[in-house]
């Protein structure tokens, strides 16, 4: 006679677990409500946190830019479902590129060569790390990159990390992968002032990938060609020795967009518009202005095509495979100048 009672207890326990699972997934999809704990950041003019502004504002839902970003989120989620099959748990090492602004409820994953210097400057102003300076351009570029000026998510406890991931607005800016790669090469290997990169990477690249190098080149490492850089990237020994430098590491490896649900995926191609959108969500449009970029020195698609002109189809294919996930996840088409198809 006790079996029905036992069955009812088992059923009740299973139902309770199911409800808990549903709540867990909902908590990751919906913005956390603002409360006295301050975990959602400061409230904007509308009385809402940035995350609530994104998902609960009727005014925003009618704007073209809001629709664009909703489409980007959906495309990213679809791509993650299609191309990633193994899920894993985030570890602190995964969160070192995510900058935290507790005052405004923002999490920003910075990607080198995608306006990250200016975003760090803006966040220094917003968090008070810039002192009395209110103009981001008054902050020297090297100061913006000093470790410790801005906190990263990896510095928090597990419970603090989870609360911020759930209640803060998470945003990342991405760029056409090969334009970003060429930009990194130009900046780190063709500028005379980047002697640290020449010594750290240039000498190694020349030693491994240049037949009969001159002694001076081995010592200075300041004349690496783009072809040699590509050989270095696709060489399996490179990543066996150490992770890629952040300037040419893939975005999906820096920011883990299939493990972290980014609310805004900004693009370098629409940098000004997307930056305004983030500032609007954060309610800080009147406090700080995102710096305009210097378009005259920007690496473009046409410029990237010139650099790839001397890369053989075999190595173009290997390089594309290396960066393929960034093309797929962020909806970038295969460049027309590639010849391996």
């Amino acid at each position: 006679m006790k079996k029905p009672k036992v069955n009812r207890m088992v059923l009740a326990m299973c139902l309770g677990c199911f409800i808990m699972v549903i709540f867990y997934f909902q908590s990751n999809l919906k913005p956390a409500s603002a409360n006295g704990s301050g975990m959602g950041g400061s409230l904007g003019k509308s009385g809402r946190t940035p995350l609530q502004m994104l998902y609960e504002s009727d005014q925003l839902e009618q704007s073209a830019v809001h629709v664009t970003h909703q489409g980007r989120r959906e495309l990213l989620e679809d791509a993650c479902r299609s191309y990633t099959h193994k899920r894993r748990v985030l570890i602190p090492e995964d969160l070192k590129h995510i900058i935290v602004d507790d005052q405004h409820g923002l999490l920003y994953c910075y990607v080198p060569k995608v306006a990250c210097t200016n975003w760090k400057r803006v966040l220094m102003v917003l968090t008070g790390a810039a002192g009395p300076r209110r103009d981001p351009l008054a902050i020297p570029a090297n100061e913006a990159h000093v470790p410790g000026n801005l906190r990263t998510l990896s510095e928090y406890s597990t419970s603090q990390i989870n609360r911020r991931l759930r209640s803060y607005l998470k945003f990342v800016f991405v760029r056409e992968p090969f334009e970003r790669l060429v930009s990194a090469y130009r900046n780190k290997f063709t500028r005379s002032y980047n002697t640290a990169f020449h010594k750290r990477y240039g000498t190694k690249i020349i030693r491994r990938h240049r037949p009969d190098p001159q002694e001076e080149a081995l010592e200075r490492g300041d004349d690496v060609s783009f072809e040699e850089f590509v050989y270095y990237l696709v060489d399996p020994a490179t990543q066996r020795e150490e992770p890629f430098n952040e300037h040419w590491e893939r975005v999906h490896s820096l920011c883990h967009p299939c493990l972290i649900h980014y609310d805004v995926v900004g693009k370098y191609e629409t940098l000004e518009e997307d930056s305004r959108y983030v500032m609007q969500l954060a309610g800080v449009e009147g406090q700080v202005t995102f710096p305009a970029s210097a378009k005259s020195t920007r690496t473009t698609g046409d410029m990237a095509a010139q650099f790839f002109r001397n890369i053989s189809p075999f190595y173009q294919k290997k390089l594309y495979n290396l960066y393929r996930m960034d093309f797929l996840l962020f909806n970038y088409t295969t460049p027309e100048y590639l010849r391996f198809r």
Side-chain angles (χ1 to χ4, degrees), residues 7-73:
N7 290 339
R8 285 197 298 272
M9 290 176 64
V10 171
L11 181 62
M13 289 174 65
C14 291
L15 181 61
C17 292
F18 178 75
I19 292 171
M20 288 176 67
V21 170
I22 291 294
F23 176 77
Y24 172 78
F25 281 107
Q26 285 181 337
S27 71
N28 281 276
L29 292 173
K30 294 182 179 179
S33 59
N35 54 49
S37 68
M39 283 308 303
S42 63
L43 301 181
K45 298 174 184 176
S46 65
R48 295 171 174 171
T49 67
L51 196 62
Q52 290 170 332
M53 277 292 294
L54 177 65
Y55 291 108
E56 298 176 10
S57 172
D58 295 333
Q59 182 179 356
L60 275 177
E61 285 181 5
Q62 299 172 6
S63 71
V65 67
H66 183 80
V67 173
T68 295
H69 283 277
Q70 182 178 348
R72 288 180 188 171
R73 285 195 301 273

Side-chain angles (χ1 to χ4, degrees), residues 217-272:
L218 287 170
E219 183 181 344
R220 296 171 62 91
D222 61 354
D223 64 343
V224 172
S225 70
F226 186 66
E227 293 95 314
E228 291 167 337
F229 181 51
V230 169
Y231 300 155
Y232 164 78
L233 292 173
V234 301
D235 182 354
T238 298
Q239 288 193 81
R240 281 202 300 265
E241 286 185 352
E242 60 180 348
F244 275 170
N245 179 275
E246 63 178 10
H247 291 84
W248 47 84
E249 179 60 280
R250 286 70 52 94
V251 176
H252 75 270
S253 295
L254 292 175
C255 297
H256 310 283
C258 293
L259 298 175
I260 297 171
H261 176 83
Y262 285 96
D263 305 293
V264 176
V265 178
K267 293 201 170 187
Y268 192 71
E269 296 78 12
T270 50
L271 177 62
E272 293 180 9

Side-chain angles (χ1 to χ4, degrees), residues 59-310:
Q59 182 179 356
L60 275 177
E61 285 181 5
Q62 299 172 6
S63 71
V65 67
H66 183 80
V67 173
T68 295
H69 283 277
Q70 182 178 348
R72 288 180 188 171
R73 285 195 301 273
E74 292 171 355
L75 283 168
L76 177 56
E77 290 169 7
D78 289 344
C80 286
R81 281 193 293 268
S82 298
Y83 301 110
T84 60
H85 305 293
K86 292 183 179 179
R87 302 282 292 179
R88 67 174 180 82
V89 176
L90 286 165
I91 58 175
E93 184 71 22
D94 298 327
L95 307 175
K96 287 187 173 181
H97 268 247
I98 300 181
I99 293 172
V100 180
D101 177 359
D102 280 325
Q103 292 175 247
H104 301 91
L106 301 173
L107 295 178
Y108 162 59
C109 186
Y110 72 91
V111 179
K113 309 312 300 176
V114 193
C116 77
T117 301
N118 281 340
W119 265 115
K120 286 181 179 181
R121 286 166 162 159
V122 166
L123 288 168
M124 284 180 67
V125 172
L126 290 178
T127 60
R133 293 168 294 188
R134 306 307 299 170
D135 178 8
L137 290 178
I139 303 169
N142 61 332
E143 185 181 341
H145 297 295
V146 171
N149 279 340
L150 295 164
R151 294 194 71 181
T152 64
L153 196 56
S154 60
E155 299 172 35
Y156 293 79
S157 70
T158 301
S159 61
Q160 291 172 329
I161 288 170
N162 286 332
R163 286 200 299 272
R164 283 164 175 79
L165 285 173
R166 192 167 59 246
S167 60
Y168 284 15
L169 182 84
K170 300 169 289 296
F171 69 100
V172 61
F173 274 74
V174 301
R175 184 177 186 178
E176 201 279 340
F178 283 171
E179 289 181 25
R180 175 175 171 250
L181 186 65
V182 170
S183 178
Y185 166 76
R186 292 178 64 214
N187 180 253
K188 301 306 176 187
F189 294 107
T190 70
R191 304 288 192 266
S192 60
Y193 56 79
N194 266 323
T195 53
F197 270 81
H198 301 160
K199 289 284 188 180
R200 175 74 176 80
Y201 296 101
T203 54
K204 181 188 297 185
I205 292 171
I206 291 170
R207 188 181 309 112
R208 287 187 178 176
H209 301 289
R210 181 179 299 179
D212 303 320
Q214 298 293 318
E215 193 63 36
E216 184 180 4
L218 287 170
E219 183 181 344
R220 296 171 62 91
D222 61 354
D223 64 343
V224 172
S225 70
F226 186 66
E227 293 95 314
E228 291 167 337
F229 181 51
V230 169
Y231 300 155
Y232 164 78
L233 292 173
V234 301
D235 182 354
T238 298
Q239 288 193 81
R240 281 202 300 265
E241 286 185 352
E242 60 180 348
F244 275 170
N245 179 275
E246 63 178 10
H247 291 84
W248 47 84
E249 179 60 280
R250 286 70 52 94
V251 176
H252 75 270
S253 295
L254 292 175
C255 297
H256 310 283
C258 293
L259 298 175
I260 297 171
H261 176 83
Y262 285 96
D263 305 293
V264 176
V265 178
K267 293 201 170 187
Y268 192 71
E269 296 78 12
T270 50
L271 177 62
E272 293 180 9
E273 179 183 46
D274 294 344
S275 297
R276 280 197 303 270
Y277 183 60
V278 173
M279 309 278 254
Q280 180 184 5
L281 292 171
V284 297
E285 309 102 299
Q287 299 178 35
V288 62
T289 302
F290 190 85
S293 59
K295 295 182 180 180
S296 59
T297 59
R298 179 183 294 183
T299 300
T300 63
D302 289 341
M303 193 180 295
Q306 292 297 313
F307 278 87
F308 274 84
R309 188 173 52 185
N310 295 326

